[in-house]
Amino acid sequence: MQTDFILNAAKAIQQAIVANENALESLDRAIGDGDHYLNMKRGANAIIDIQPALATLTPDAALQQIGLKLLSTIGGASGPLLASFFMSMAKTIKENGDDSISKIAASFAAGVEAIRQRGKADLGEKTMLDVLIPVSNQFVLLAAQHCDSKLICATLIDTAEQGMLATKDLIATKGRAAGLGERAIGHIDPGAKSCQLMIVAVCKLV
Amino acid sequence: MQTDFILNAAKAIQQAIVANENALESLDRAIGDGDHYLNMKRGANAIIDIQPALATLTPDAALQQIGLKLLSTIGGASGPLLASFFMSMAKTIKENGDDSISKIAASFAAGVEAIRQRGKADLGEKTMLDVLIPVSNQFVLLAAQHCDSKLICATLIDTAEQGMLATKDLIATKGRAAGLGERAIGHIDPGAKSCQLMIVAVCKLV
Amino acid sequence: MKKFITKIDDMLVDSLNGFATAHADLVNLHLDPHFITRKNKSANKVAVISGGGSGHEPLHSGYIGYGMLDAACPGHVFTSPTPDQMLAAAEAVHADKGILFIVKNYAGDVMNFEMAAEMLPFEHATVLTSDDVAVTNSTYTTGRRGVAGTMIVEKCIGSLAETGASLQACKALGDKVNSRTASMGVALTSCTVPAAGRPTFDIDDNELEMGVGIHGEPGRRREAMREADVIVKDLVAAILEDLESVHLKAFDINSGETSEALLMINGFGATPLMELYLLYNLAAKLFNQHGLQISRSLVGNYTTALDMAGASITICLLDDEIKQHWDSPVHTSALRWGR
Amino acid sequence: MKKFITKIDDMLVDSLNGFATAHADLVNLHLDPHFITRKNKSANKVAVISGGGSGHEPLHSGYIGYGMLDAACPGHVFTSPTPDQMLAAAEAVHADKGILFIVKNYAGDVMNFEMAAEMLPFEHATVLTSDDVAVTNSTYTTGRRGVAGTMIVEKCIGSLAETGASLQACKALGDKVNSRTASMGVALTSCTVPAAGRPTFDIDDNELEMGVGIHGEPGRRREAMREADVIVKDLVAAILEDLESVHLKAFDINSGETSEALLMINGFGATPLMELYLLYNLAAKLFNQHGLQISRSLVGNYTTALDMAGASITICLLDDEIKQHWDSPVHTSALRWGR
Ligand SMILES: Nc1ncnc2c1ncn2[C@@H]1O[C@H](COP(=O)(O)OP(=O)(O)O)[C@@H](O)[C@H]1O
Ligand SMILES: Nc1ncnc2c1ncn2[C@@H]1O[C@H](COP(=O)(O)OP(=O)(O)O)[C@@H](O)[C@H]1O
Ligand SMILES: [Mg+2]
Ligand SMILES: [Mg+2]
Ligand SMILES: [Mg+2]
Ligand SMILES: [Mg+2]
């Protein structure tokens, strides 16, 4: 993985977020407090702002800086979670390298695991993890099978979409929607939606 | 004038006020603070409530009690003004009697004069006085000419309506609408409207 | 209209009962006629009484207590109280040094207090407050309205009265503070009088009412909604123009002279504190640029108009006497410091 | 949406600047990262720091000062602040006795403060507030939200910290106060986050949201609008049920036992004081009937949700220790007594 790819991914993510303003905003208005789009946009824009500095870094250092930047700009629940993701991914890459798809998949999985630990949530709680855990599992599996990276990406796009859509029928037990009980049913989780958007954006670059 | 007539007049006035809720409320909303109907209704109802006590009194004492009751129930600008009217009328009748239409007209004029002094306003300032002063003048004049009371009443109804309508084109220089300048033009004064309604209600009893 | 009301006719008394219970250490409530008196009032002081229509809370009842009011007479919503209330209140709190009425300059308030004063068996005086510069004084009109600055007058008079000062001295201080106080407000929405059940005025989503009164009376003009800095510029300009016309002095930083002032940003009821502080920031900067040194500040809902969104800006030109009485201890439910 | 804003992206900083200027005697403002610190802090005390999304003012910045908070970290509107803010604030106010974070129990706030705590080079502890009984605790969820009761926790901890007490003692008191505090709110309208530009939720003219959160999060249920007495009955019942479940004690006047309590009626931002006192009157009566003796009261906008119309009721069960720390002098911009 090259720093260039990370920068392109950041740009693609920023565009995907901004292009989905209405969806993200209305989902968080429905079962949250309405700021998820604003939070994600603030974070994505902040990364665009530091691109020149990131460009000079190794991939792991760039991911670490992205994590720190998100940590200090997003706030809310998504801020520390996404920051933990990138900081953990950075650490794994720094330790094990990123010279194979398997290693990249492992670092992605480490990132998702960091979110799980930070948020003390798991699959089926109507959070971003309902997208990230299946994607992470699939990614690791396919990478171990030495699948073609384009095929992996196509599969992950599907997995992310399924995970995102599946949150619709769930009751939330973590995050702000946890207070809603049955009333959360029928609404897609905003964090799951934004994670799906980000995964699609990055996979399409491959 | 008999106390009975006063009681009937009070009832007719109360009905006229309540029947014109929308008109009174919207006029005071347009150039005042929207409470004129509520104030007038509160006052009119309070008089209905004390009818049994009033029925035992002489006309001047009844008018005095009406004045005091209005003073303690209406509030706002109209409260002390209408109270002054009835208290002054009561005083004049007590001193001079009410055994002729002229004397009644004189007591009415004394009441209007009390409003003028209390409010330090005059004709043309877009207040209730734009109804009351012409009506009072006309009343005194016609009574001096020994006109028939039915004819007097018919004339006063006309005069009241003209005075009320004339407030529409005025700039207010007294009362709450005085702050409005040109913006008061086009709206009838709420106090002028309620006075016209009261005059019509009473005149129709004669 | 959605409001917390059990029965509309009981609303005022229900609310007064809540106020009196919540602040039973400070006040006593009397009903029929309605008035609220201060507990633990020092003997031998001028009795300071105010009152007005309800719906402006904490004005006036929230300012009853040590160093401020001795009694307040609440009228129906936006309707001035009646003379029997003031008479009963005066009877309850008078203490040989006379009665001082503090009255906001509205025809209704003035006349009701006037009739009460005429019937009062005690020495008395009245201070009329008229700080609203939106309505210009003219020989033809009844003059300017009393708005948020009223509270500053009440604080200073209350402080002086607490020292045992004479009725004349209290009235003189009140008149002075009023003459040095100027306010102007702006509304973004109407208010809704509960008994009326619908907004007092209609206003579009892209409009504001410049110079609105605290009962939702129309102001100087209806304008297009604008950025806060532009709105504040207009409000500040109107206030400065007025202060200059009264005090014959250009408030201009270039003149080299500065005047000390109190700046109050008053919320009308539905405007978040976050916005009020934003207004404060803009107003303080502009006044500074014009040679006013803001040494006292107040930001919050002090004189409201029920649920109106909007705010007013008030400047009170300080001198040593006013400063002393502003700073002195006060202990009321809505204003408290120094004890 | 009509709000006093110059430029939406500058709104928070504009407002913070106004706050810091208006209360320059009490606080210092630091930007990038944003935090506000107390002036004239006593040396050698636990540093008490809170923070959270903006839009709840006066929470938390309005509670900085003697006897309460040493610093507050304001996030974007309704968005928890970030760890760099807490770290910088801690660096600025720490004083050898450790850092105490007071955090409202929301996933975002908890995680951001947690990450800050992990990086903190000082001894530290955290008190999580979770007084909102609308969201029932369960082993599956992250637990109840922290709402208006947070301010009572801040007041008591601040008082104890001022005495030089240890970090452990301060944390213990905070946890105790939180465990004895229960709140529930109701919304009549939504709030509007400025950057979003439209109401967070839709609600009809004849509906209310029972158990709403202070960010406009949906509550227990959407219901038809009703009279205030019926609304208060439901809120009081939910609070009593919770207190009874936690304290294993039926609050019933017939039990002969009474408990002393603080009752707070908190406005969400757009509800007139007149209505809040009306709610107080209803709530106080009901709690009294259930054997709670209300000996401390607070009515006003203490923890708001921008421009939401609505209110919450909070009960804090008092004991001698809590009473002592509630009554002790406090001098902040939004809460002040005793000095
Ligand atoms: N404990 C958690 N674990 C994983 N994801 C979470 C957790 N809590 C919240 N989230 C995610 O965060 C999203 C909300 O983010 P955001 O709106 O930015 O923050 P906030 O809820 O603080 O307003 C939710 O939709 C959910 O996907
Ligand atoms: N100084 C005055 N002299 C005569 N009438 C007046 C004066 N001031 C006000 N009014 C009358 O009172 C009416 C308003 O009464 P009302 O709405 O009950 O009181 P308020 O203006 O205090 O709300 C006006 O429409 C006007 O006719
Ligand atoms: Mg959110
Ligand atoms: Mg009126
Ligand atoms: Mg009125
Ligand atoms: Mg949020």
Side-chain angles (χ1 to χ4, degrees):
Chain A
M1 193 166 58
Q2 308 235 292
T3 301
D4 247 17
F5 178 80
I6 296 175
L7 296 185
N8 287 336
K11 212 173 290 171
I13 285 174
Q14 192 265 353
Q15 284 161 0
I17 297 292
V18 171
N20 286 274
E21 165 166 1
N22 281 344
L24 292 176
E25 197 167 289
S26 60
L27 291 176
D28 200 35
R29 275 224 315 282
I31 59 167
D33 58 351
D35 63 352
H36 186 60
Y37 168 70
L38 297 169
N39 295 345
M40 294 301 294
K41 185 180 71 169
R42 199 165 49 242
N45 284 341
I47 305 305
I48 303 296
D49 287 348
I50 59 165
Q51 277 202 329
L54 294 177
T56 66
L57 302 176
T58 56
D60 64 292
L63 289 171
Q64 172 72 8
Q65 285 311 310
I66 287 174
L68 285 172
K69 193 71 198 175
L70 294 180
L71 186 61
S72 67
T73 48
I74 297 187
S78 39
L81 293 172
L82 295 176
S84 298
F85 174 87
F86 286 103
M87 286 154 71
S88 178
M89 219 182 144
K91 188 162 167 260
T92 315
I93 288 182
K94 189 173 182 187
E95 284 166 7
N96 305 332
D98 57 359
D99 48 0
S100 74
I101 295 189
S102 285
K103 284 185 178 171
I104 294 177
S107 72
F108 185 91
V112 173
E113 179 58 25
I115 290 184
R116 201 148 85 162
Q117 291 192 4
R118 177 59 61 199
K120 301 186 185 66
D122 219 320
L123 205 64
E125 302 209 67
K126 199 174 183 115
T127 72
M128 54 174 75
L129 285 172
D130 291 327
V131 167
L132 294 174
I133 291 176
V135 166
S136 165
N137 290 345
Q138 192 72 275
F139 193 3
V140 171
L141 195 77
L142 297 177
Q145 294 167 1
H146 304 289
C147 286
D148 168 68
S149 62
K150 281 210 182 299
L151 180 71
I152 294 181
C153 284
T155 314
L156 296 187
I157 286 177
D158 278 356
T159 312
E161 171 145 4
Q162 281 162 34
M164 178 271 288
L165 291 175
T167 62
K168 193 164 178 177
D169 299 328
L170 295 173
I171 289 183
T173 45
K174 285 290 178 322
R176 212 172 279 280
L180 275 171
E182 305 273 326
R183 289 172 74 186
I185 292 177
H187 301 277
I188 289 165
D189 175 64
K193 177 71 195 170
S194 57
C195 282
Q196 179 251 341
L197 288 172
M198 292 190 284
I199 287 163
V200 172
V202 177
C203 284
K204 283 199 170 154
L205 289 181
V206 176
Chain B
M1 193 166 56
Q2 306 235 294
T3 300
D4 248 15
F5 178 79
I6 294 175
L7 296 186
N8 287 336
K11 211 173 289 170
I13 284 175
Q14 194 265 354
Q15 284 161 359
I17 296 293
V18 171
N20 286 274
E21 165 165 2
N22 282 343
L24 292 176
E25 197 166 288
S26 60
L27 290 178
D28 200 36
R29 276 222 315 281
I31 58 167
D33 58 350
D35 62 352
H36 187 61
Y37 168 70
L38 298 168
N39 294 344
M40 294 301 296
K41 183 179 74 169
R42 199 167 49 243
N45 285 342
I47 304 306
I48 303 296
D49 288 348
I50 58 165
Q51 278 203 329
L54 292 177
T56 65
L57 302 177
T58 56
D60 63 292
L63 289 171
Q64 171 72 8
Q65 285 310 309
I66 287 173
L68 285 172
K69 193 72 197 174
L70 294 179
L71 186 61
S72 67
T73 48
I74 297 188
S78 39
L81 292 173
L82 294 175
S84 298
F85 174 87
F86 286 102
M87 286 154 71
S88 176
M89 217 182 146
K91 187 161 166 261
T92 314
I93 288 181
K94 188 170 182 191
E95 283 165 7
N96 304 332
D98 57 358
D99 49 359
S100 73
I101 295 188
S102 283
K103 283 184 179 173
I104 293 176
S107 73
F108 185 90
V112 173
E113 179 58 24
I115 290 184
R116 199 149 87 162
Q117 291 192 1
R118 176 60 61 198
K120 300 185 186 67
D122 219 320
L123 206 63
E125 303 209 65
K126 198 174 181 115
T127 71
M128 55 174 74
L129 285 172
D130 292 327
V131 167
L132 295 175
I133 291 177
V135 166
S136 165
N137 290 344
Q138 191 72 276
F139 192 5
V140 171
L141 194 79
L142 296 177
Q145 294 165 2
H146 304 288
C147 285
D148 168 67
S149 61
K150 280 209 185 298
L151 180 72
I152 293 180
C153 283
T155 312
L156 295 187
I157 286 176
D158 279 355
T159 310
E161 172 147 2
Q162 282 163 32
M164 177 270 287
L165 290 175
T167 62
K168 192 165 179 176
D169 299 327
L170 295 174
I171 290 184
T173 44
K174 285 290 178 324
R176 212 172 279 278
L180 276 172
E182 303 273 326
R183 290 172 71 185
I185 292 177
H187 302 277
I188 289 166
D189 175 65
K193 177 72 196 171
S194 57
C195 281
Q196 179 251 343
L197 288 171
M198 293 191 284
I199 287 165
V200 171
V202 177
C203 284
K204 283 200 170 150
L205 290 181
V206 176
Chain C
M1 178 194 65
K2 275 194 287 187
K3 287 174 182 290
F4 294 116
I5 298 175
T6 303
K7 234 179 110 235
I8 216 134
D9 286 342
D10 299 339
M11 182 183 190
L12 179 59
V13 171
D14 287 351
S15 180
L16 290 174
N17 273 318
F19 177 79
T21 316
H23 306 297
D25 53 328
L26 289 174
V27 301
N28 286 315
L29 172 64
H30 312 255
L31 294 176
D32 294 312
H34 306 346
F35 62 100
I36 307 169
T37 54
R38 168 179 164 191
K39 261 187 180 141
N40 312 315
K41 178 172 147 325
S42 355
N44 219 17
K45 69 179 280 289
V46 169
V48 186
I49 302 179
S50 190
S54 292
H56 304 301
E57 291 71 24
L59 194 79
H60 300 274
S61 48
Y63 302 130
I64 298 175
Y66 179 86
M68 222 159 158
L69 300 180
D70 295 299
C73 304
H76 288 270
V77 171
F78 288 0
T79 301
S80 74
T82 53
D84 51 323
Q85 293 174 260
M86 298 115 188
L87 287 171
E91 189 65 57
V93 297
H94 81 97
D96 292 332
K97 289 220 157 185
I99 304 281
L100 186 64
F101 285 148
I102 303 177
V103 183
K104 301 192 292 305
N105 189 32
Y106 295 93
D109 294 78
V110 170
M111 290 188 283
N112 281 285
F113 271 96
E114 211 172 73
M115 291 188 77
E118 289 165 12
M119 299 185 237
L120 211 59
F122 313 112
E123 194 194 353
H124 62 265
T126 297
V127 170
L128 280 186
T129 65
S130 56
D131 52 312
D132 189 352
V133 306
V135 177
T136 37
N137 261 322
S138 105
T139 35
Y140 303 110
T141 70
T142 32
R144 311 195 323 193
R145 306 175 291 208
V147 289
T150 305
M151 179 266 246
I152 305 171
V153 174
E154 293 179 353
K155 169 70 180 80
C156 293
I157 291 179
S159 163
L160 180 59
E162 209 66 57
T163 67
S166 73
L167 182 62
Q168 286 66 33
C170 289
K171 160 141 176 82
L173 176 65
D175 286 339
K176 178 170 95 170
V177 174
N178 179 59
S179 78
R180 298 169 70 96
T181 302
S183 304
M184 184 144 135
V186 57
L188 302 187
T189 71
S190 175
C191 45
T192 298
V193 174
R198 55 178 191 157
T200 302
F201 58 91
D202 296 320
I203 183 161
D204 274 358
D205 265 358
N206 55 1
E207 285 181 336
L208 56 78
E209 179 73 30
M210 204 52 159
V212 73
I214 55 172
H215 310 86
E217 303 100 323
R220 284 196 178 186
R221 55 185 181 269
R222 182 65 58 94
E223 285 181 359
M225 181 65 192
R226 292 160 301 160
E227 286 71 39
D229 54 344
V230 190
I231 298 172
V232 170
K233 215 166 154 185
D234 278 7
L235 292 171
V236 166
I239 290 169
L240 283 172
E241 192 184 318
D242 175 79
L243 290 175
E244 286 169 3
S245 76
V246 175
H247 299 277
L248 300 168
K249 172 176 166 181
F251 291 101
D252 180 352
I253 191 77
N254 299 322
S255 74
E257 249 188 284
T258 58
S259 292
E260 214 176 324
L262 180 160
L263 169 58
M264 164 159 67
I265 306 293
N266 172 59
F268 282 149
T271 294
L273 215 39
M274 203 177 167
E275 292 175 52
L276 297 183
Y277 278 117
L278 186 146
L279 295 178
Y280 179 92
N281 192 45
L282 292 164
K285 268 190 204 142
L286 286 177
F287 284 123
N288 270 326
Q289 283 167 17
H290 283 86
L292 285 183
Q293 182 213 333
I294 308 298
S295 68
R296 302 289 185 281
S297 302
L298 217 57
V299 182
N301 293 342
Y302 292 102
T303 298
T304 59
L306 292 169
D307 54 353
M308 189 189 279
S312 61
I313 299 180
T314 298
I315 282 284
C316 173
L317 297 177
L318 300 173
D319 64 12
D320 286 343
E321 187 189 22
I322 300 178
K323 244 180 348 192
Q324 174 203 332
H325 290 298
W326 177 257
D327 290 342
S328 67
V330 60
H331 182 175
T332 71
S333 63
L335 205 67
R336 180 169 179 185
W337 54 71
R339 54 184 276 156
Chain D
M1 178 192 67
K2 273 193 289 186
K3 288 176 181 289
F4 293 117
I5 299 175
T6 303
K7 233 179 109 236
I8 215 135
D9 286 341
D10 300 339
M11 184 185 189
L12 179 59
V13 171
D14 286 351
S15 179
L16 291 175
N17 273 317
F19 178 78
T21 315
H23 306 296
D25 54 327
L26 289 174
V27 301
N28 286 316
L29 171 66
H30 312 256
L31 294 175
D32 294 312
H34 306 346
F35 62 100
I36 306 169
T37 53
R38 165 178 166 193
K39 262 188 181 141
N40 312 317
K41 178 174 148 319
S42 354
N44 220 16
K45 69 180 281 289
V46 169
V48 186
I49 301 179
S50 189
S54 293
H56 304 302
E57 290 73 24
L59 195 76
H60 299 273
S61 49
Y63 303 130
I64 298 175
Y66 179 88
M68 221 158 158
L69 301 180
D70 295 301
C73 304
H76 289 270
V77 171
F78 288 1
T79 300
S80 74
T82 54
D84 52 322
Q85 295 175 260
M86 298 115 186
L87 287 170
E91 191 64 58
V93 299
H94 81 98
D96 294 332
K97 289 222 157 184
I99 303 282
L100 186 64
F101 286 147
I102 304 177
V103 182
K104 301 191 294 301
N105 189 32
Y106 295 94
D109 293 77
V110 170
M111 290 189 282
N112 281 286
F113 271 95
E114 213 171 73
M115 291 188 77
E118 289 166 13
M119 300 185 235
L120 211 59
F122 313 111
E123 195 193 354
H124 60 265
T126 297
V127 170
L128 280 187
T129 65
S130 56
D131 52 312
D132 190 354
V133 307
V135 176
T136 37
N137 261 322
S138 106
T139 36
Y140 303 110
T141 70
T142 31
R144 311 196 321 195
R145 308 175 289 210
V147 289
T150 305
M151 179 266 245
I152 304 171
V153 174
E154 293 180 353
K155 168 71 180 82
C156 293
I157 291 179
S159 162
L160 180 59
E162 209 66 57
T163 67
S166 73
L167 183 61
Q168 286 66 35
C170 289
K171 161 142 176 82
L173 176 64
D175 287 339
K176 179 171 94 171
V177 174
N178 179 60
S179 77
R180 298 168 70 96
T181 302
S183 303
M184 185 145 133
V186 57
L188 303 187
T189 71
S190 175
C191 45
T192 298
V193 174
R198 54 180 195 158
T200 300
F201 59 89
D202 296 320
I203 184 163
D204 274 357
D205 265 0
N206 55 359
E207 287 180 336
L208 55 81
E209 180 72 31
M210 204 52 155
V212 73
I214 57 171
H215 310 87
E217 303 101 323
R220 285 195 175 184
R221 55 185 182 270
R222 182 66 57 95
E223 287 181 356
M225 181 63 194
R226 293 159 301 160
E227 286 72 39
D229 55 345
V230 189
I231 297 172
V232 170
K233 215 167 157 184
D234 279 6
L235 293 171
V236 166
I239 290 169
L240 284 173
E241 193 184 317
D242 175 81
L243 290 174
E244 286 169 4
S245 76
V246 175
H247 299 277
L248 301 167
K249 172 175 166 182
F251 291 101
D252 179 353
I253 193 76
N254 299 322
S255 73
E257 248 189 283
T258 57
S259 292
E260 211 175 327
L262 180 160
L263 169 58
M264 164 159 66
I265 306 294
N266 171 58
F268 283 147
T271 293
L273 214 41
M274 201 176 167
E275 291 174 51
L276 297 182
Y277 278 116
L278 185 146
L279 295 177
Y280 179 93
N281 192 44
L282 292 163
K285 268 190 204 142
L286 286 176
F287 283 122
N288 269 327
Q289 284 166 17
H290 284 85
L292 284 184
Q293 181 213 333
I294 309 297
S295 69
R296 302 289 184 281
S297 302
L298 216 56
V299 182
N301 293 342
Y302 292 103
T303 296
T304 59
L306 291 171
D307 53 352
M308 188 190 278
S312 61
I313 299 181
T314 298
I315 281 284
C316 173
L317 297 177
L318 300 172
D319 64 11
D320 286 344
E321 187 190 21
I322 300 178
K323 245 182 344 195
Q324 173 201 332
H325 291 298
W326 177 257
D327 290 342
S328 68
V330 59
H331 181 175
T332 71
S333 63
L335 206 67
R336 182 169 178 182
W337 54 70
R339 53 184 277 156

